Amino acid sequence: RESEERNATIIYATHIFDGLDEWATHLHYLTNEGKCGWQGKVEELDVYQKLKRDNYPAKMLAIADHWLRKELEQARKRRKFERAQGAYAFEADPT
């Protein structure tokens, strides 16, 4: 961990996770709403440690996939209740 030897912080914002499984020491997950979804040391992230114990080949990708799928599911649920809006929300459906 060269950044620790040099007392430096590297911020790596990406959607590409190839080769990052052992690189990061800390993670910060920023949600679609601009809020902190999770932050901390990788060693404190239970799902990462489980994937590591299971020798999962793409741990960071699996974590990102898990977080993003959860956000997609929440967005789908919100859209389900947001269909009718404005003046047309109370009019009869012409179909």
Side-chain angles (χ1 to χ4, degrees), residues 88 90-95:
Y88 297 112
F90 302 102
E91 291 188 15
D93 186 352
T95 57

Side-chain angles (χ1 to χ4, degrees), residues 12-24 56-62 64:
Y12 192 73
T14 187
H15 65 283
I16 301 170
F17 297 93
D18 291 344
L20 293 182
D21 286 340
E22 302 299 325
W23 188 77
Y56 196 85
K59 296 173 272 304
M60 291 293 212
L61 179 60

Side-chain angles (χ1 to χ4, degrees), residues 28-95:
H28 182 96
Y29 165 49
L30 188 63
T31 68
N32 280 340
E33 297 174 345
K35 298 177 182 175
C36 176
W38 189 88
Q39 72 176 20
K41 294 180 180 181
V42 174
E43 64 193 34
E44 296 171 356
L45 183 58
D46 292 337
V47 66
Y48 182 86
Q49 295 308 319
K50 181 187 180 326
L51 293 168
K52 190 173 180 177
R53 281 191 305 274
D54 294 345
N55 279 334
Y56 196 85
K59 296 173 272 304
M60 291 293 212
L61 179 60
I63 291 167
D65 183 66
H66 170 76
W67 284 337
L68 294 175
R69 287 184 189 279
K70 185 188 266 186
E71 280 195 49
L72 285 172
E73 183 59 32
Q74 290 169 348
R76 284 187 190 111
K77 287 178 183 177
R78 278 194 304 272
R79 277 195 306 272
K80 184 177 180 181
F81 297 106
E82 294 177 355
R83 290 185 182 164
Q85 294 185 12
Y88 297 112
F90 302 102
E91 291 188 15
D93 186 352
T95 57

